[in-house]
Amino acid sequence: MSSSGHIVLTSHSRPGSNHFSPIHWGAEDARVRGPIIASVSTPSHRNVIGTHSGSYSVYRAISVAAGHLDPSHVPDLTNTSPVAEIGPHKQWFDAKKIVSFDPWGHLVVDEFQDHLKEGFDIRPTIAITQARLKLMEMKEAIAQGRLEPDGGVLLENGDVNVTKIAIDPVWHIPGLAERFGVDEHAFRRAIFEQMGGMYPELVTRSDLEVFLPPIGGITAYVFGNPDNLSNPKVKLACRVHDECNGSDVFGSDICTCRPYLTHGIEICIEMAQQGGNGLVVYNRKEGRALGEVTKFLVYNARKRQKGGDSAAKYFERTECVAGVQDARFQELMPDIFHWLGVTRIDRFASMSDMKHDSIVSQGIQIKERIDIPDELIPEDAHVEMEAKKAAGYFTSKTPKSEENLDSVVGRKIKE
């Protein structure tokens, strides 16, 4: 990589530097709304703050620095189009409904052909493909008679056919500030200061209303025909799941994350087999969006405290370490449902009131809530479950009384 040339700061606009007027978020036509141009190959074309690929943008920068990637590279988007049609839905045209990603992000090649031909580096922020899931829990469900292969959704060998959707975050700053009920200037300043001054445009460029933050995005898994997701006559089962690498991938037993996830998948398969749809929304929000380091510190604090890891003090230790019990802010989570055109969830596999209330507050109906069966709860995870039940999380069981929570204790740290 050549180090010659001047570094151009983006803190302030330069006359004639931008080819586009501000983005018209919520417009009914993609071209009227305008493309999201976050690429750095031609700085004068940019009309947003930040760049593509979220947290992976740092790796792209390293690739450029190491000479492995040409900084002027523009993706060849031939044959990358979605395998399923999503939208547009009427929810896309309400600027308040979807504020955390670009609803047109998968239609870049179709909607902005003219711009692409003119040399504008416009990149998709949503990709839709097909996949098969291989989960030992689905094989067990078949062996135990809970699921039956149908040759379509669920195959004889336990594989599951799904449509898979990846979404990168694209924030409409005025919409986010309004969703959280805060002043936009204060919102911009807080992000700028708490990120160590990484994006000065947040406080110097009020004309730029869209920000691509360096965070993880969303993956949605659709069971059944995705064309039916917006049809209110077709029933929908759903699991909204926030990332937990330790449990989801490695099977750590201190929480119920993987069991709840696979239970949700099983419910989604059943609904799809009955002619409905299943939907799993997987959000990259590790450790309640506090991070895995913080989560492991909390584990240590819980296990080492006087009296051991008890349900009575479950939430207290997180707040002592992180300063807050939860930073996931489920207020943004319903955007995915608006994007898919979903207006009703018939079976919702979650005990979280924060998730439930955020969805319902956005005008999406939830008919039935489903908690995790007792037999799927790992032994060490009873601390978490009893603490949540006592705190008012949804359960079909009777929560333990406050005086009995101290009796629910997890393993010692070296056991």
Side-chain angles (χ1 to χ4, degrees):
M1 175 184 175
S2 172
S3 60
S4 62
H6 296 290
I7 294 176
V8 179
L9 299 178
T10 57
S11 301
H12 298 84
S13 61
R14 289 170 290 131
S17 65
N18 287 318
H19 291 250
F20 293 100
S21 59
I23 293 164
H24 301 288
W25 199 265
E28 295 188 20
D29 182 279
R31 281 153 286 192
V32 173
R33 198 291 305 273
I36 301 293
I37 306 182
S39 51
V40 296
S41 53
T42 308
S44 63
H45 291 173
R46 288 169 49 81
N47 62 354
V48 302
I49 303 167
T51 187
H52 288 288
S53 301
S55 57
Y56 296 102
S57 60
V58 176
Y59 293 103
R60 188 176 65 234
I62 294 172
S63 296
V64 170
H68 301 314
L69 174 63
D70 182 348
S72 63
H73 171 75
V74 176
D76 178 356
L77 298 175
T78 304
N79 292 330
T80 63
S81 59
V83 301
E85 292 186 14
I86 302 293
H89 298 295
K90 64 180 181 179
Q91 292 94 322
W92 297 18
F93 314 142
D94 183 339
K96 298 180 180 181
K97 293 288 188 184
I98 303 175
V99 299
S100 60
F101 59 87
D102 175 14
W104 302 95
H106 58 311
L107 298 174
V108 163
V109 174
D110 293 332
E111 298 293 343
F112 300 113
Q113 289 183 37
D114 293 341
H115 293 98
L116 291 169
K117 289 177 182 177
E118 291 174 23
F120 292 100
D121 185 2
I122 308 168
R123 305 189 183 190
T125 56
I126 300 175
I128 307 174
T129 189
Q130 290 179 327
R132 282 188 182 177
L133 307 183
K134 292 180 176 289
L135 297 165
M136 63 179 184
E137 287 88 349
M138 298 309 108
K139 293 182 179 180
E140 291 173 358
I142 292 173
Q144 295 168 9
R146 296 198 311 274
L147 288 176
E148 269 189 48
D150 60 280
V153 178
L154 181 63
L155 305 184
E156 290 286 344
N157 64 356
D159 289 0
V160 186
N161 284 320
V162 295
T163 300
K164 187 162 62 172
I165 305 168
I167 302 174
D168 277 343
V170 178
W171 288 1
H172 181 236
I173 298 173
L176 258 81
E178 183 174 347
R179 184 79 63 89
F180 287 117
V182 300
D183 173 74
E184 182 184 338
H185 175 73
F187 185 79
R188 285 172 174 264
R189 179 165 181 167
I191 297 174
F192 169 70
E193 292 179 343
Q194 294 304 312
M195 294 181 70
M198 285 175 63
Y199 297 97
E201 304 101 310
L202 286 166
V203 291
T204 62
R205 296 289 304 275
S206 59
D207 58 315
L208 297 179
E209 295 187 339
V210 174
F211 173 41
L212 276 66
I215 61 174
I218 304 168
T219 309
Y221 295 82
V222 180
F223 303 76
N225 186 351
D227 293 343
N228 293 330
L229 285 168
S230 61
N231 185 347
K233 296 180 180 179
V234 178
K235 289 188 175 182
L236 176 66
C238 177
R239 165 70 182 165
V240 174
H241 191 89
D242 294 328
E243 177 183 28
C244 178
N245 184 64
S247 179
D248 296 344
V249 179
F250 294 100
S252 173
D253 71 344
I254 197 171
C255 64
T256 59
C257 292
R258 182 181 175 95
Y260 223 141
L261 175 60
T262 57
H263 179 56
I265 290 173
E266 188 172 330
I267 292 169
C268 287
I269 291 171
E270 289 176 342
M271 187 65 83
Q273 289 179 326
Q274 295 166 12
N277 277 118
L279 173 65
V280 171
V281 178
Y282 194 93
N283 298 292
R284 293 313 191 287
K285 296 178 180 178
E286 177 65 63
R288 300 181 187 168
L290 298 169
E292 201 165 38
V293 169
T294 295
K295 181 163 71 171
F296 288 7
L297 293 174
V298 171
Y299 287 167
N300 286 347
R302 281 170 48 190
K303 297 287 186 181
R304 287 171 172 154
Q305 68 187 333
K306 184 178 180 180
D309 183 16
S310 71
K313 297 181 179 178
Y314 174 77
F315 292 104
E316 178 184 325
R317 298 311 299 153
T318 299
E319 192 163 0
C320 287
V321 175
V324 64
Q325 289 185 6
D326 199 310
R328 285 174 290 184
F329 295 109
Q330 302 294 355
E331 290 89 342
L332 302 178
M333 177 266 294
D335 286 17
I336 181 70
F337 297 106
H338 290 317
W339 180 68
L340 293 169
V342 171
T343 57
R344 189 191 69 241
I345 299 170
D346 294 275
R347 305 194 77 200
F348 186 54
S350 174
M351 68 184 303
S352 169
D353 285 340
M354 287 188 294
K355 292 175 183 177
H356 172 275
D357 294 350
S358 293
I359 292 171
V360 172
S361 71
Q362 286 290 308
I364 299 165
Q365 185 182 14
I366 294 179
K367 300 281 286 185
E368 179 188 6
R369 299 177 70 178
I370 301 170
D371 52 1
I372 187 170
D374 288 341
E375 63 268 21
L376 295 182
I377 301 173
E379 186 63 32
D380 204 33
H382 282 282
V383 170
E384 172 198 38
M385 293 303 293
E386 294 303 330
K388 288 181 175 180
K389 291 175 186 177
Y393 282 57
F394 169 77
T395 178
S396 58
K397 316 295 189 305
T398 301
K400 289 185 180 296
S401 61
E402 189 172 335
E403 56 268 23
N404 288 331
L405 285 181
D406 279 324
S407 65
V408 183
V409 180
R411 289 195 313 270
K412 295 180 180 179
I413 195 165
K414 292 187 178 181
E415 287 184 342

